[in-house]
Amino acid sequence: MSLVHFKEVVKKYDTTLSVNHLSLAIHEGEIFGLLGPNGAGKSTSIHMLSGLLSVDGGDITVEGYSVRKAPLEVKRRIGLVPQDLAIYDSLTAAENVTFFARLYGLGGKLLRERVAEALEFVGLQDKAKAKPGTFSGGMKRRLNIACAIMHRPKLIIMDEPTVGIDPQSRNHILESVRTLNKLGSTIIYTSHYMEEVEAISTRVGIMDRGRLIVSGTKEELRRQMGQDEQLILEVDRITEEAMAEIARHPRIKSAEETQPRTLQVVLEESATALQDLLFILHKHGIGLSKLTRIEPDLETLFLQLTGRSLRDRS
Ligand code: ADP
């Protein structure tokens, strides 16, 4: 069942459409990875869903409640972990979480329980009385997460939660995303780190220039990537004659000597193309010591769809 629905959503800044008729459904129980280069419109979309930005066209619903008509019902169901830290250095860790708990209408014993639970969840129970001014960047982010989950929301949105933090905190955050999901929360996870999104998500959407250009499970996306096969071959020598014969083969799309005695080859997917390649090597007396198949990734797909690279160039 779909928990979140973006229907033809538009956000305009001056004359440019930062979000351009975005339609997207997020199903209950999934970890949805929203991927795209910087400026693609991920944060703007997330902020409209969380009620921090108004919607200029279309609508977004959460469990059927519209962000336009029932913003409070939507907010109650959402925990947003924003990209920029939203914690107060003058308050202790526990006071920070308490502040947000009050905003969600919690009080009394329940409030104290949920604050303790949230701090424990992010591994900051021993720091409850410490002020975040003394925390590392990763600890601050974890406190930020505690502030967003203490009301046990159905939907948790994490906007680039691992930017600029140490590997240990990063792993802690990724692990907590998995745990929150197992405990029943649906997760939207935005990032421009494709490896991270590939590793953690059950389904992925890729945005570019305000639009969703593709979405699906990782397997579905792989299938879209075409049927070419990329191989790395380590050989004992390479001869010009062999390379020339390989280049002439109709089902071998390319072959390149990327390092001494290492060939990178792209084949049309067919058993015969690989057999023919091995036959050519054998015929020229070239010994093969290792053959590795390169798995296509989301970077390959983005490049195919847009002709541009997904990687952060900053
Ligand atoms: P992402 O999160 O994918 O990096 P954003 O949603 O932050 O992308 O930005 C999408 C586009 O909207 C960018 O081109 C950005 O420059 C523009 N944009 C975002 N916020 C504003 C703003 N307050 N005023 C004008 N343009 C904005």
Side-chain angles (χ1 to χ4, degrees):
M1 201 186 82
S2 290
L3 182 67
V4 181
H5 259 285
F6 283 76
K7 296 171 200 157
E8 294 282 321
V9 177
V10 172
K11 184 73 199 178
K12 228 182 195 167
Y13 288 113
D14 299 324
T15 51
T16 47
L17 293 180
S18 288
V19 175
N20 186 359
H21 297 91
L22 174 69
S23 291
L24 168 66
I26 290 149
H27 312 310
E28 196 153 356
E30 64 187 7
I31 301 179
F32 186 85
L34 190 57
L35 194 65
N38 282 327
K42 304 180 297 294
S43 292
T44 306
S45 304
I46 292 310
H47 289 161
M48 286 189 284
L49 166 61
S50 326
L52 298 175
L53 275 178
S54 61
V55 175
D56 294 338
D59 199 2
I60 310 171
T61 59
V62 178
E63 278 196 322
Y65 290 104
S66 151
V67 291
R68 299 186 141 200
K69 296 183 199 128
L72 290 179
E73 290 295 342
V74 172
K75 275 191 188 140
R76 193 172 296 161
R77 287 163 172 78
I78 292 182
L80 171 69
V81 183
Q83 196 170 343
D84 300 319
L85 294 171
I87 50 180
Y88 299 96
D89 281 345
S90 57
L91 302 178
T92 66
E95 285 165 351
N96 264 286
V97 185
T98 302
F99 174 81
F100 285 93
R102 291 234 161 83
L103 289 183
Y104 284 105
L106 297 180
K109 187 162 164 267
L110 183 65
L111 179 144
R112 286 193 299 279
E113 279 171 15
R114 292 289 181 81
V115 170
E117 176 188 282
L119 285 173
E120 188 176 346
F121 182 79
V122 298
L124 289 175
Q125 64 274 32
D126 298 340
K127 299 281 178 189
K129 295 204 170 97
K131 292 191 175 165
T134 61
F135 290 4
S136 70
M139 285 161 74
K140 285 183 184 173
R141 273 202 191 272
R142 278 147 57 187
L143 179 58
N144 216 27
I145 293 176
C147 293
I149 62 165
M150 121 294 299
H151 59 302
R152 296 188 184 165
K154 283 208 107 160
L155 176 68
I156 297 171
I157 305 167
M158 298 205 169
D159 194 6
E160 302 262 6
T162 59
V163 168
I165 59 168
D166 59 278
Q168 195 194 344
S169 286
R170 181 172 173 270
N171 288 338
H172 195 287
I173 287 172
L174 292 176
E175 212 34 65
S176 56
V177 170
R178 290 194 183 97
T179 309
L180 287 165
N181 182 244
K182 278 195 198 116
L183 290 172
S185 290
T186 301
I187 317 272
I188 300 178
Y189 191 97
T190 84
S191 179
H192 63 281
Y193 297 132
M194 55 165 186
E195 294 88 354
E196 196 171 286
V197 169
E198 274 204 283
I200 199 160
S201 314
T202 53
R203 210 156 61 88
V204 178
I206 305 181
M207 279 189 83
D208 186 43
R209 296 179 175 163
R211 286 175 172 277
L212 189 74
I213 55 168
V214 69
S215 71
T217 63
K218 281 171 272 184
E219 290 68 35
E220 284 166 351
L221 297 186
R222 285 230 167 82
R223 252 177 266 138
Q224 287 211 14
M225 282 185 235
Q227 303 296 319
D228 289 351
E229 238 184 314
Q230 267 197 70
L231 304 170
I232 303 281
L233 288 87
E234 287 173 31
V235 291
D236 55 8
R237 66 201 182 96
I238 295 171
T239 65
E240 273 182 32
E241 297 78 25
M243 286 304 273
E245 192 170 344
I246 290 169
R248 281 197 303 271
H249 193 287
R251 282 194 295 280
I252 301 175
K253 290 193 163 178
S254 68
E256 213 183 322
E257 188 175 357
T258 49
Q259 285 174 50
R261 296 186 298 282
T262 303
L263 285 178
Q264 187 162 340
V265 182
V266 179
L267 302 176
E268 278 181 16
E269 196 200 29
S270 75
T272 56
L274 179 58
Q275 273 172 16
D276 290 357
L277 174 65
L278 297 178
F279 179 75
I280 293 168
L281 295 179
H282 180 71
K283 193 170 101 184
H284 291 268
I286 296 171
L288 176 68
S289 55
K290 194 171 172 199
L291 189 152
T292 322
R293 184 164 178 270
I294 303 178
E295 286 292 328
D297 61 14
L298 294 175
E299 171 69 29
T300 321
L301 180 62
F302 188 79
L303 195 66
Q304 278 181 7
L305 291 170
T306 67
R308 284 173 291 117
S309 170
L310 182 61
R311 281 185 196 280
D312 192 12
R313 277 145 288 160
S314 60

